[in-house]
Amino acid sequence: MSLSRRLFLLSAASLSLSACVGTYFTAFPAQLPSQMTRSWHVTSVQVDVPQSLTVSEAHTIIPHADIVWREDDKSGDRHSQVATIMHDAIAAGVTDLKGPFAVVLKVQVTRFHALTIEAETQLSDSGVHNIQFDITAVEAKSGQVLAGPTHIIADLPAWSGEKMRQLRANGVTQKSEITAHVTATIKAWLGTGPDIRGSFQRLGD
């Protein structure tokens, strides 16, 4: 048996011990009334990724940490990288809000667990991006809470194996997938887009 084959079997065995087919969600308690949110315009999206969230750089299929992110420069700060991704995704989700009432969105990330390179390349048709955060809308001048805090789960299927290679060849990345899904989730929460809440089953952590 070749070395690469032995390594693959060892990885698969490790995965079977630490992962299983589970149910994952895009979920939040309720959509906000669109008649309210369409009176808003968002002046600032403030994203906090607490330093207390653990980070893993382990070269394994399923590292156990709050933050797993590998597409950006590994020498950079993962908390900052995640904050940028979440800021850009949420900011894209509020572009339809053009009302007169100035609002700030305050976001605290609680989990950002994407796939490692090992998982992408050694698995097939498996994996989940686990994205979770709390969001609060406040009036920009007074700081009065208008909505939230709301806990949002924005899990989405991650791609591995041949499907992943096809997507990457067409310019689709983990970042673009996660960004699009978080954007759509924010639109759903604000009541300005389709309600995409739901669940799926997949092998994940």
Side-chain angles (χ1 to χ4, degrees), residues 14-48:
S14 174
L15 178 66
S16 68
L17 292 174
S18 59
C20 60
V21 174
T23 303
Y24 299 89
F25 302 90
T26 292
F28 49 84
Q31 286 185 295
L32 298 179
S34 61
Q35 62 267 31
M36 175 180 74
T37 60
R38 288 194 180 279
S39 70
W40 296 354
H41 71 274
V42 175
T43 59
S44 177
V45 176
Q46 300 174 2
V47 179
D48 176 35

Side-chain angles (χ1 to χ4, degrees), residues 32-43 94 96-104 137-140 146 190-192:
L32 298 179
S34 61
Q35 62 267 31
M36 175 180 74
T37 60
R38 288 194 180 279
S39 70
W40 296 354
H41 71 274
V42 175
T43 59
V94 303
D96 292 337
L97 303 183
K98 303 181 185 298
F101 200 66
V103 171
V104 172
V138 302
E139 199 273 326
L146 304 173
L190 292 168
T192 60

